[in-house]
Amino acid sequence: VIGTDEALAEKYFMFDKVTPTKSNVAQTLTDVRTDVLANGDVEYRYTKILAEPGEIEIVGAGTNSFVWAHGSGGLSFHANTRGALNLDLSTCAFTAIDLEPVQPQAIKIHGMLMVAAWAYLAPLGVLMARGKHFALRNGFFKTWLYLHAFVQLAALVCTAIGFVKAYKAIKDSDVRDHLDFRHPKLGVGTMVGGCTQLLMGVIRPHPPHGDEDKSVARWIFEIAHRLVGYGSLVLGLLTMLAGANKALELKHVDQVRTWNTAIIAPIVVTGFLGILLTLYINLIQSDQGGVPVAKAKETEMKGTEMA
């Protein structure tokens, strides 16, 4: 039974953790009215038949379990403004049922770790990889690779810790359903992409040496590594934005503007730096023969490229 600002109390069907529906529901409530109390609260009053077809029976003498919730906005989520009790209608004796809500602090820590991983570290690692040719031409043969690998590994470590933090927060609550919303499903996809990147980096075919031609396996690795990498970044961005909005909807955070700024700003800055680096490599710095660095002869890097 739900009462809203627009209507008196009515019966709804609730099948899952989705917005309840009152379509095709027999409205058998009687004596329905609302009373505004002295403190401004609205009290919904009605009379309901205890046993009705297709409904959970309410016993007149004995224990019934009830859940309650109140709030503003949509009908689907109530954050911590909810509860449950066992009630004996014959005596009005009741006992509260303890609920364990998801702790907002745990969700905030989860969010900060994921933002650090996918708004700061992962884009920075991509930027380092983008500067590979510049590093090779200036004698930093392994430095770019070590930095790239270290930063991306740090991103995966933050992702793993954030994942465990969210999983434990939900597991310790009475929610228990880990993949109910779009955000966790996107998050799992982002984690799979990041782990796939790590696996490809570990088993990557080595570049050609000397006068060898680049192998087919190496070509496939380079294309797949870029596709999965950029795809994971885009998926990570969508996941973070969806997570921030879901946290606001569930009242784990008070506002979302700060979170969105912390997500979007570093990605925009990193993208801008990537464009500048690309222009610098391709258009400004040329080798002694006037060939852009990105188009320098492959023979100059054979035997030195390490990834």
Side-chain angles (χ1 to χ4, degrees):
V1 177
I2 298 175
T4 67
D5 293 338
E6 295 80 16
L8 298 174
E10 296 179 284
K11 289 163 56 177
Y12 288 72
F13 277 133
M14 295 184 66
F15 298 106
D16 204 343
K17 293 182 179 179
V18 296
T19 302
T21 176
K22 61 181 178 181
S23 62
N24 301 321
V25 181
Q27 298 297 334
T28 57
L29 301 180
T30 58
D31 305 321
V32 182
R33 73 177 194 271
T34 60
D35 294 332
V36 180
L37 306 182
N39 63 357
D41 289 345
V42 177
E43 186 175 72
Y44 294 90
R45 291 180 172 271
Y46 54 87
T47 300
K48 185 187 183 306
I49 302 171
L50 297 182
E52 298 186 70
E55 300 181 11
I56 299 174
E57 181 179 355
I58 300 174
V59 295
T63 300
N64 300 277
S65 295
F66 292 93
V67 295
W68 59 266
H70 68 86
S72 58
L75 296 178
S76 297
F77 309 105
H78 297 278
N80 296 331
T81 56
R82 58 190 176 86
L85 70 155
N86 292 321
L87 172 65
D88 188 334
L89 293 176
S90 63
T91 62
C92 289
F94 72 92
T95 56
I97 300 174
D98 291 333
L99 300 179
E100 293 292 338
V102 177
Q103 296 300 317
Q105 188 63 25
I107 298 303
K108 290 177 182 176
I109 294 174
H110 161 78
M112 287 187 286
L113 286 167
M114 293 307 189
V115 170
W118 291 97
Y120 291 84
L121 292 172
L124 180 60
V126 172
L127 185 64
M128 291 176 177
R130 187 65 192 91
K132 175 183 69 172
H133 295 293
F134 171 74
L136 292 174
R137 290 297 300 269
N138 287 274
F140 300 103
F141 299 132
K142 295 183 179 180
T143 304
W144 79 268
L145 176 61
Y146 292 154
L147 289 174
H148 170 72
F150 175 79
V151 171
Q152 298 297 61
L153 185 59
L156 282 180
V157 170
C158 288
T159 301
I161 297 174
F163 176 84
V164 171
K165 190 69 177 177
Y167 180 87
K168 188 175 186 302
I170 295 175
K171 184 176 182 296
D172 291 343
S173 73
D174 51 54
V175 177
R176 303 301 172 92
D177 296 322
H178 295 277
L179 297 176
D180 262 0
F181 312 119
R182 180 186 303 141
H183 168 68
K185 295 174 183 177
L186 291 172
V188 170
T190 304
M191 272 203 67
V192 170
C195 293
T196 302
Q197 284 290 83
L198 175 63
L199 180 61
M200 284 195 294
V202 171
I203 65 173
R204 69 189 186 280
H206 288 288
H209 298 285
D211 295 329
E212 295 178 353
D213 293 329
K214 188 178 294 187
S215 66
V216 174
R218 179 68 186 188
W219 278 108
I220 293 174
F221 160 73
E222 292 182 355
I223 294 173
H225 198 54
R226 287 180 175 86
L227 289 177
V228 176
Y230 286 117
S232 297
L233 279 181
V234 173
L235 194 59
L237 173 61
L238 297 176
T239 303
M240 289 184 290
L241 294 176
N245 284 280
K246 179 57 68 176
L248 177 66
E249 184 179 355
L250 297 179
K251 303 187 186 308
H252 295 314
V253 298
D254 298 326
Q255 51 85 25
V256 77
R257 179 177 298 178
T258 303
W259 288 91
N260 285 342
T261 301
I263 293 167
I264 296 173
I267 294 178
V268 171
V269 171
T270 306
F272 178 72
L273 292 176
I275 293 173
L276 290 181
L277 181 60
T278 300
L279 292 174
Y280 181 75
I281 291 173
N282 292 328
L283 302 176
I284 299 177
Q285 187 186 31
S286 299
D287 64 4
Q288 294 179 355
V291 181
V293 174
K295 297 181 180 299
K297 293 181 179 179
E298 206 172 88
T299 55
E300 295 182 13
M301 291 185 287
K302 285 185 177 179
T304 61
E305 188 181 13
M306 299 302 297

